[in-house]
Amino acid sequence: MRALTKYYFDYAATAPLDPRVLRAMSPFFSHSFGNPSSLYRLGREAKLAADQAHQIFIDTLGGSPTKFIFTSSATEANNLAILGAARSLRDLGNHVIVSAIEHKGILSVASALEAEGFQITQIGVDRDGIVDPQELSSALNDKTILVSITTADNETGTIQPLKNIADAIKKFRDTHQQSHPYLHTDATQAAAHLNLDIDHLPVDMLTLSAHKLGGPKGIGGLLVRGEIKLEPITYGGRQQNDLRPGTENISAIVGFARAFELATQERREEFQRIKKLRDYLERTILKNIPKVILNGHPIKRLPNFLNISILDIEGEAILLRLDDKKISVGTGSACNSQTLEPSHSIEALGLPHEYIHGSLRFTLGRYTTMSSVNYALKQLTIIVKDLRKMSPLNLKVVGTGKPTSVPQAFVREGVPHFVRRKKK
């Protein structure tokens, strides 16, 4: 496993399956293969495994009463949270707030709600990628039923002030003597690194994904406080509180729970180990490669994230050259391989396109070592020097002169970070 992931720096995209997770899953592929809705022994074994997995999430994430709904992915969980809550509350209001840096699994759902007649407010972020709780508070009104703010951005790893956001929402609820708006967060990127106990992180709904934790792909989940009523988005049988019909994928559920359990147990130790490697990677790049900009908050970010813009060259060109050296990284210069549009999360920081197109995302994980970091640093330095020789660009960093700061020349005066977008 370590050999396969030696130069892998894209844990934000996915993580390799942990062998300990695979061992936990194995019996449910062929031995304990029963349908948990069946009454005979094989069915009871499967149901017991699903119930035990469910309890792991409830015990770890806290809150009472709560339920955990297993889905096919974080995207489906986000759909269930946002569509399910908005539709069930439409008699009380039609206003939903999201941030500009949400994953497309959130923003696309918001667009779908807009087509149904809901009003969508999109909150911008500051140059570090952080939502201002006061700006969000000013966007709340008597029609607001739901707010969805990511725990940590999936491009820069910037951690959002969810506690302050939750306090602002609670103050609004108390003032108006009502139970809504509800607060949902997509914690997919944060789950391996932060304490997500909802007594500590006071949200109403929380989305997770297994494959970012070393679990299997094709399984995610949504934690929901007990008093929240969701309208289902799929229909069929009565599994999972009538919210997610269909025969449960027991092997994936068991694997998800085991991956989450391991990530929780090893979180503190891994946080420090990975942060040390990330900080070394960052310091060395900034020292050895000129004209590099740090994207996102320099401190308030997940320990495994480093997003930088290397000026004068394309991120994709660097990525492909690194790939030739068996080094895997991500780039924000294009959202994915199907589009040439730059990442909306990086755009939200207010960076010029010349900077966005030179962005790279390094994300570290369980199998990252100092030797792999040093190898990546050596190759990156050589590749950047080589590509810059061929580049016609020669951008200048102006303003503060600090290599990690956004150039003041590109900061447009008077442009607010708070943007409202409503259905026309």
Side-chain angles (χ1 to χ4, degrees), residues 183-349:
L183 175 59
H184 165 260
T185 190
D186 184 340
T188 299
Q189 294 294 346
H193 309 288
L194 301 181
N195 178 8
L196 299 179
D197 186 324
I198 62 172
D199 288 330
H200 170 76
L201 187 73
V203 299
D204 300 300
M205 295 181 287
L206 184 146
T207 292
L208 295 175
S209 179
H211 73 103
K212 303 296 175 72
L213 301 169
K217 295 177 178 65
I219 183 75
L222 178 68
L223 184 80
V224 184
R225 287 193 186 272
E227 69 273 14
I228 298 175
K229 304 298 181 184
L230 299 179
E231 186 174 304
I233 60 173
T234 54
Y235 298 89
R238 304 199 63 182
Q239 293 91 343
Q240 300 200 74
N241 301 102
D242 295 333
L243 286 175
R244 213 277 181 164
T247 300
E248 295 89 340
N249 185 348
I250 300 300
S251 60
I253 288 172
V254 169
F256 186 10
R258 182 58 176 150
F260 182 68
E261 188 176 45
L262 290 168
T264 301
Q265 292 169 356
E266 299 170 359
R267 184 178 66 233
R268 291 185 180 180
E269 180 180 345
E270 279 292 281
F271 186 104
Q272 295 302 325
R273 186 188 72 84
I274 291 172
K275 184 179 184 299
K276 182 178 179 180
L277 291 173
R278 190 276 312 274
D279 290 347
Y280 171 74
L281 174 65
E282 179 182 323
R283 285 195 310 271
T284 309
I285 288 175
L286 296 177
K287 177 182 177 182
N288 293 345
I289 302 176
K291 299 169 69 172
V292 174
I293 304 297
L294 176 66
N295 299 322
H297 199 282
I299 298 172
K300 297 176 182 177
R301 57 185 156 133
L302 296 176
N304 64 324
F305 269 74
L306 174 61
N307 191 303
I308 55 175
S309 288
I310 301 177
L311 304 192
D312 301 337
I313 47 182
E314 294 279 344
E316 286 94 340
I318 305 173
L319 181 152
L320 293 173
R321 291 284 292 272
L322 287 171
D323 187 49
D324 287 340
K325 300 297 181 180
K326 298 181 173 57
I327 302 168
S328 302
V329 301
T331 176
S333 53
C335 288
N336 55 56
S337 59
Q338 283 75 47
T339 178
L340 296 178
E341 292 298 317
S343 163
H344 65 279
S345 295
I346 302 296
E347 281 190 307
L349 303 180

